[in-house]
Amino acid sequence: MRPGDWRPFPYGGVNFWPAETEGVLVVEDSTVTGVPEEPLRVTLEGNLVRKIEGGAAAGQLRRYAPGGFYMRHALFGLNPKVRVAGGTQFEREKHAGAFYCGLDGLTDGVPVTTGPGFAHCDCQVDRPTVVVDGETFVERGRLLLLDEPEIREVAARYGPPEVILDDNPVMILPRRYTGLR
């Protein structure tokens, strides 16, 4: 860790600073808007927010940083046992396949990453489809990494992989699969 860095606690995701982001976020919850009444769409090109659409929530978000936004950081959830339904934004972000990101306001039209963010808005997308370098990474909220043979082999040390890696968070793991005695 360096000054200005942060890591979510408890762990449950991979946090990163994106260099290039293209696509559309359909925000399900944000620290600026709460849960929007209608779909809130944020279009990113070149890591900058180029368009914000979606009724009252879009207006709220635009007013929060009138000079525009860039994507400051992002997080992919890795824990298949974190609840989605009824969970807070900062719990749901850690669910395997969920996507969470922080948008910061631009300073004089440019991103400034050397200090704390300006007009920071955290956004949650529970069941995204994410493509990284042309390869599907998450499909409709399913973290495809959970299907990799190497991951399933590691999970098998603790119990049946279909139970350990099942991303239905209401399926409780029996103690015999948790490593606790």
Side-chain angles (χ1 to χ4, degrees):
M1 295 283 295
R2 319 179 301 246
D5 284 358
W6 67 275
R7 291 186 184 158
F9 182 83
Y11 293 114
V14 174
N15 190 42
F16 59 97
W17 291 0
E20 188 68 27
T21 307
E22 307 285 332
V24 177
L25 296 172
V26 181
V27 177
E28 296 182 49
D29 189 0
S30 89
T31 53
V32 171
T33 66
V35 177
E37 292 181 7
E38 58 188 271
L40 173 60
R41 289 180 170 75
V42 176
T43 301
L44 290 128
E45 296 171 4
N47 220 43
L48 299 175
V49 172
R50 299 296 186 178
K51 189 176 356 174
I52 302 171
E53 303 169 289
Q60 280 180 292
L61 192 54
R62 278 191 223 97
R63 285 191 307 276
Y64 192 66
F69 288 96
Y70 70 100
M71 187 181 290
R72 173 83 180 226
H73 67 89
L75 181 135
F76 286 109
L78 298 175
N79 187 335
K81 299 306 180 197
V82 171
R83 68 184 171 155
V84 176
T88 66
Q89 177 186 28
F90 297 107
E91 180 179 357
R92 294 184 347 253
E93 74 182 20
K94 294 171 181 75
H95 182 78
F99 180 76
Y100 157 89
C101 67
L103 305 176
D104 269 1
L106 297 170
T107 302
D108 297 324
V110 297
V112 175
T113 60
T114 56
F118 164 71
H120 191 79
C121 176
D122 291 315
C123 302
Q124 175 68 28
V125 182
D126 291 331
R127 302 200 189 286
T129 294
V130 179
V131 178
V132 178
D133 294 332
E135 186 176 336
T136 303
F137 186 71
V138 177
E139 188 169 17
R140 292 186 309 266
R142 172 77 179 156
L143 179 63
L144 299 180
L145 186 65
L146 297 179
D147 299 326
E148 292 293 323
E150 298 85 3
I151 299 297
R152 299 187 75 72
E153 186 178 313
V154 170
R157 294 182 205 157
Y158 302 96
E162 63 275 6
V163 173
I164 301 296
L165 299 174
D166 187 309
D167 62 359
N168 175 355
V170 297
M171 178 187 268
I172 304 301
L173 287 177
R175 284 181 66 114
R176 67 183 177 272
Y177 299 148
T178 64
L180 299 174
R181 299 284 173 224

